[in-house]
Amino acid sequence: MTTTRRLILKSAALAVALAVSIATGTSIAYAENEELKIGFVGVTSGPAAAWGISNVRSMQTRAEWLNEKGGVKIGDKTYNIEIVTFDDQKDPKRAIAGMEKMAQEGIHYVVGPNVDDGAAAVRPVAEQNGIMYFPYAFPKELYSAPASNAILGMVANYQSGPAIYKYLMDNKGVKTVAFVSANESDPLSQRDGGVQAAKALGLEVVSSSITYQVDTTDFTPVITPVVQLKPDLLVLSGVAPANAPQLIRSARELGFQGIISTETAQDATVLKEGAGELANGFISVGGASTPEIATDTMKEFVDRYTKMFGEYNDESNTKVYALEYILETLKANPAAIDDVKAFQTTMDTFEASNPYMKGDAKLKYVGMTSFGQKRQVSVPLVVNVYKDGKFETLFVASVD
Amino acid sequence: MEQIIANGLYLGAQYALIALGLTLIFALMNVLNFAHGQMYVLGGFVTYTIYAQLGMPFVAGLLASAVTLAVVGAIVEKFLFRPVIKRSLREESTMLLAAGIAFFLDAVILLAFGEKQRGVPKIIHGVLNWDFRIIMPYDRILIGALAIAVIATFILYMQYSKTGRAMRALAQDRVAAQLMGVDVNRYSMIGFALGAMLAGIVGGLLVTITGVNLGMGGPTSIKAFMMVMIGGAGVISGAIVGGFILGMMESIGLTVLSQYGDITYLVIFVTLMVFLSFRPQGLMGKPWG
């Protein structure tokens, strides 16, 4: 009886292992190279899961693609890329635990965390354990000396905001602006940065005090007082992709006629489903996926991502870059594979061609103006406008 | 002012419907169903799949949400809560079980429907604009009216049907109801299924307005608990009153207090604490349970 039960259990375990193996594609055979582990510490569960999941999936898609092609040659060795992930649940304490896990596994390059407090919390662990990390958080002190190991993985709002406001002032005659943000550290700091930038450009800020709970589902009562002020421009500071369509829809249904914008990346499908044609004209910041600027490599990345996960996430247009920067910098200086000081030295002069964007765009580290040292990846500042289910490029700029 | 009242009534109708299912389950089984919000989210995703993905009529999506959640509720009661209640007299056992189910449903929803915010095509277009005093899209008016209709149907069902009477007897005194011949197990399962079904229906209704995403479950449960505490735990009419009070407070606060920042919920929580210190059983609850 016991033997039979054990046999059944063994068979079931084998069946499950086989099913998991098939489902996750782990049965694919790659070249027998040494493994290079790259970490991810960020949020992949709960309300903000979309931010981290788009990171992880971008990394996994690119890693599998590279492994399929035989691995990545760094110096005289070829490596298969393994992505090690840790869900910090948007909790700084867990983010620290995640970074400690990365240190224990001997990982020196980590993408994430996704939010301000998590990125600030992991700094001591990263600096003590020789880990370079790529947060998607904007506080300048993370990237300015004496901080040394954080590299901003995207364009910050205080870099994109002024460019967008200036464009709208010059081209759309915008004179007044109102800011609405979630009552959370990231959106609030983005709102404050936006207000400062708008005032510096000479815009009249008619409202900046209206905030909403991060778990709000019905935005009509929130947005009503702002709409009554009739600003030319309504900025949704740091708006999460989940909230953007609802805010746009509420504002438009209440009769708002002005322009709506944000400085965060959004997803066209989410906007289409949540706000439909009411989202037409919504301005946001994106990566390099619009047809005008996307290379064939970018298109193949989107195809592969879609095949692997069923649906592409437009946030990955920006998030595709972090892993690319890590690998290309290591290629430029193989000694950096376990020596982040060497990595930091290489960052000052590093330059490689940008595989995802047409033209002569380069991968290089920037940030001298904002941080006084090169601690930011040079992601193209692509300002998009949403129209009928797709993003169209409004203008492209760069950060120095 | 008219806009504030209109927003408050609309919010109140949807909140009351969310709280109904929670309070029903609490009344019947003395279980705080922390997974109620996740059941609401699941209902939203089912309607999304049927209506937006498969292109079937919205009513079909709503029915599918109701049936799916009723089945989920019945299974959860029969195979999870019933054995735990039978074996453990400690209330925290069912609370932990409910929390576990909430995490489980979160994980299932993430796997099945993904991490993105989802929305469905509008079920009715156009906006009512009464001289800029009340601006209300027609779909909100329709959903608000449907929510009130469901609440009314539920009250009538509980009042006049045999099943409703049995469940009310069970809620009043479980032992006495059993002695009078009420099949406790059967009606507990029906009650749980009905509570979960209400969560599914409101999820299906609101996906047309607010969309749905993975993270909505927890906050929805918290709001539902607040409404139940305001109205009185386990009292059907209390949940409805609690829902409308919370909706109105939120609407007034978000308009009147907006210039001071996001302090609406701070004020609501402080008011609730003060209120509960004077009347811990809520507006319509009984001090003895």
Side-chain angles (χ1 to χ4, degrees), chain B residues 11-28:
Chain B
L11 285 173
Q14 53 164 287
Y15 285 170
L17 196 51
I18 293 171
L20 265 187
L22 186 72
T23 211
L24 174 69
I25 291 169
F26 182 78
L28 290 178

Side-chain angles (χ1 to χ4, degrees), chain A residues 349-380:
Chain A
T349 52
F350 169 80
E351 203 171 277
S353 63
N354 183 338
Y356 302 118
M357 196 172 163
K358 281 180 186 168
D360 60 351
K362 300 285 182 201
L363 299 180
K364 60 182 177 181
Y365 293 93
V366 294
M368 289 305 289
T369 304
S370 299
F371 315 122
Q373 57 179 353
K374 289 187 174 179
R375 287 295 181 274
Q376 181 177 12
V377 298
S378 176
V379 178

Side-chain angles (χ1 to χ4, degrees), chain B residues 86-108:
Chain B
K86 199 174 169 185
R87 286 176 198 152
S88 170
L89 292 174
R90 299 172 69 105
E91 284 182 2
E92 56 267 36
S93 303
T94 56
M95 288 165 74
L96 279 171
L97 174 61
I101 293 168
F103 286 123
F104 172 76
L105 286 178
D106 263 341
V108 169

